[in-house]
Amino acid sequence: MNSSLVGNQSGRPFCLLAISYLETINFCLLEVVIIVFLMVLIISGNIIVIFVFHCAPLLNHHTTSYFIQTMAYADLLVGVSCLVPSLSLLHYPIVLSESLVCQIFGYVVSVLKSVSMASLACISIDRYIAITKPLTYNTLVTPWRLRICILTIWLYSCLVFLPSFHWGKPGYHGDVFQWCANSWNTDAYFTLFIVVMLYAPAAFIVCFTYFNIFRICQQHTKEINERRVRFSSQDGEAGEAQPCPDKRYAMVLFRITSVFYILWLPYIIYFLLESSNVYSNRVASFLTTWLAISNSFCNCVIYSLSNSVFQKGLKRLSGAICASCARQRVAKDSSTSRSKRSSNGCHV
């Protein structure tokens, strides 16, 4: 990379955030704290989402649950993969060479986030079809076609970032490795390739579909309210405004999509600036990268706070866990009391 990212030659650990180094320890404290904290949140949050989907059958009523679960599994793998830079920053011995670990880690995380981005685009398409063609929706969107679509998302994401091993760095996910920061450069043509093949189409699909979804919902709401007012005036009763039934669920998905692009926008901008040799800064590189990765946890929070069915499933899961713990406690207490009675009988 540029000279600003050259590693320290004084024997100190390679730290992207200079303020993280302390004389009393031999690793990058601040980087480790940030990455481990995000790793714990991402893994625990997405495990809860996956369990809730299995415990709440009503969540599978919507076909978008296929894509939500795909995103949850991809985000879970992002959290697991964060273990690699954590071990590297802690100077844990790794069998493979640093350059290979760096390239594989950058490729894997890029693929996983591409799966999330493509899933969000497919969710918006699914909602668009559901609203524009409600009568033929069940024949157009079938479980078999959804599985084919998810498989295509994974294969496409793997292929898009495959040239990174020869063309250059796909992003800044591996910059915690010194080889990534110093020797693995970005390529302007590869950056343009990723933008054209992934970022731009996904953003266009999301903007187009949600714009039309809310426009149609607004039109439907207006028509429904006009009918209610007309019929209520004939009956002499006041009619209440009724929102579009699909708008609430679309708003949940829109919030997830909006937060995704808000958190990823600084990363994408920095990616474009650095690959064009306009701006390069190792602190900005680290912060924009891990801000984008934090989105893997935000999906869980938004969905759990916005979806009432998910909240019921979460309560059901927590209730089952509490009931299991209570049964174990009662069984333990009963076994303890029996052992005490038997011991007292021996001493009589």
Side-chain angles (χ1 to χ4, degrees):
M1 236 185 195
N2 297 338
S3 59
S4 62
L5 298 180
V6 175
N8 199 326
Q9 302 298 328
S10 62
R12 293 182 177 183
F14 173 75
C15 300
L16 283 170
L17 304 178
I19 59 175
S20 63
Y21 179 73
L22 297 177
E23 296 289 345
T24 55
I25 58 177
N26 193 34
F27 62 86
C28 307
L29 178 62
L30 189 55
E31 284 93 332
V32 171
V33 170
I34 292 174
I35 295 175
V36 172
F37 178 70
L38 286 177
M39 179 179 68
V40 172
L41 288 180
I42 292 171
I43 292 176
S44 58
N46 285 284
I47 286 177
I48 291 173
V49 170
I50 292 170
F51 272 108
V52 169
F53 266 97
H54 286 288
C55 294
L58 287 176
L59 284 171
N60 295 318
H61 174 71
H62 293 282
T63 55
T64 51
S65 64
Y66 285 84
F67 298 111
I68 295 291
Q69 292 182 70
T70 300
M71 290 173 56
Y73 280 108
D75 291 335
L76 176 62
L77 292 176
V78 169
V80 173
S81 66
C82 290
L83 184 63
V84 176
S86 302
L87 295 177
S88 174
L89 290 171
L90 291 170
H91 304 289
Y92 190 84
I94 300 176
V95 178
L96 301 175
S97 64
E98 186 182 36
S99 60
L100 183 59
V101 173
C102 164
Q103 289 178 311
I104 293 176
F105 175 73
Y107 172 77
V108 168
V109 177
S110 298
V111 168
L112 294 174
K113 298 316 298 178
S114 173
V115 169
S116 296
M117 189 176 294
S119 297
L120 288 172
C122 290
I123 286 173
S124 65
I125 294 174
D126 175 81
R127 291 298 87 200
Y128 179 76
I129 296 174
I131 291 177
T132 56
K133 298 181 180 180
L135 299 179
T136 59
Y137 175 79
N138 291 330
T139 57
L140 292 174
V141 182
T142 61
W144 181 81
R145 289 180 178 176
L146 288 171
R147 294 187 184 97
I148 294 296
C149 183
I150 292 172
L151 179 62
T152 303
I153 288 173
W154 281 95
L155 291 176
Y156 183 78
S157 300
C158 291
L159 292 175
V160 164
F161 287 97
L162 195 60
S164 64
F165 290 96
H166 299 284
W167 283 8
K169 188 186 301 181
Y172 300 92
H173 310 295
D175 270 1
V176 293
F177 301 98
Q178 189 168 1
W179 185 88
C180 280
N182 299 340
S183 305
W184 200 19
N185 300 320
T186 55
D187 184 272
Y189 294 103
F190 184 46
T191 302
L192 180 63
F193 173 78
I194 294 175
V195 170
V196 172
M197 299 300 293
L198 180 62
Y199 294 158
F204 174 78
I205 289 172
V206 167
C207 293
F208 174 81
T209 52
Y210 278 113
F211 173 79
N212 285 279
I213 285 171
F214 290 118
R215 181 180 59 81
I216 293 170
C217 281
Q218 187 176 10
Q219 183 179 355
H220 286 179
T221 302
K222 184 178 178 180
E223 292 175 354
I224 292 172
N225 292 335
E226 288 177 352
R227 291 194 190 99
R228 289 181 62 87
V229 169
R230 185 167 59 252
F231 288 121
S232 61
S233 61
Q234 294 175 358
D235 298 335
E237 298 178 356
E240 297 181 357
Q242 296 293 327
C244 176
D246 293 317
K247 188 174 181 179
R248 181 178 298 177
Y249 191 66
M251 280 299 299
V252 176
L253 302 174
F254 180 72
R255 292 189 192 105
I256 293 176
T257 306
S258 299
V259 171
F260 181 91
Y261 280 98
I262 289 172
L263 294 178
W264 272 83
L265 187 60
Y267 164 81
I268 295 173
I269 292 174
Y270 183 80
F271 186 32
L272 297 173
L273 291 177
E274 202 283 335
S275 59
S276 304
N277 295 321
V278 175
Y279 176 76
S280 178
N281 181 273
R282 65 182 184 180
V283 176
S285 168
F286 181 86
L287 294 180
T288 55
T289 294
W290 294 96
L291 178 67
I293 290 178
S294 68
N295 176 77
S296 297
F297 171 70
C298 294
N299 291 338
C300 315
V301 177
I302 297 170
Y303 204 76
S304 60
L305 295 178
S306 303
N307 192 296
S308 58
V309 179
F310 185 90
Q311 293 172 3
K312 293 178 182 178
L314 185 60
K315 291 179 181 179
R316 179 181 177 183
L317 176 63
S318 59
I321 294 174
C322 292
S324 177
C325 293
R327 285 194 297 269
Q328 292 179 359
R329 191 182 301 110
V330 170
K332 183 178 180 180
D333 292 341
S334 61
S335 62
T336 303
S337 60
R338 283 197 301 268
S339 63
K340 286 183 179 180
R341 287 197 298 269
S342 63
S343 61
N344 292 334
C346 292
H347 288 289
V348 173

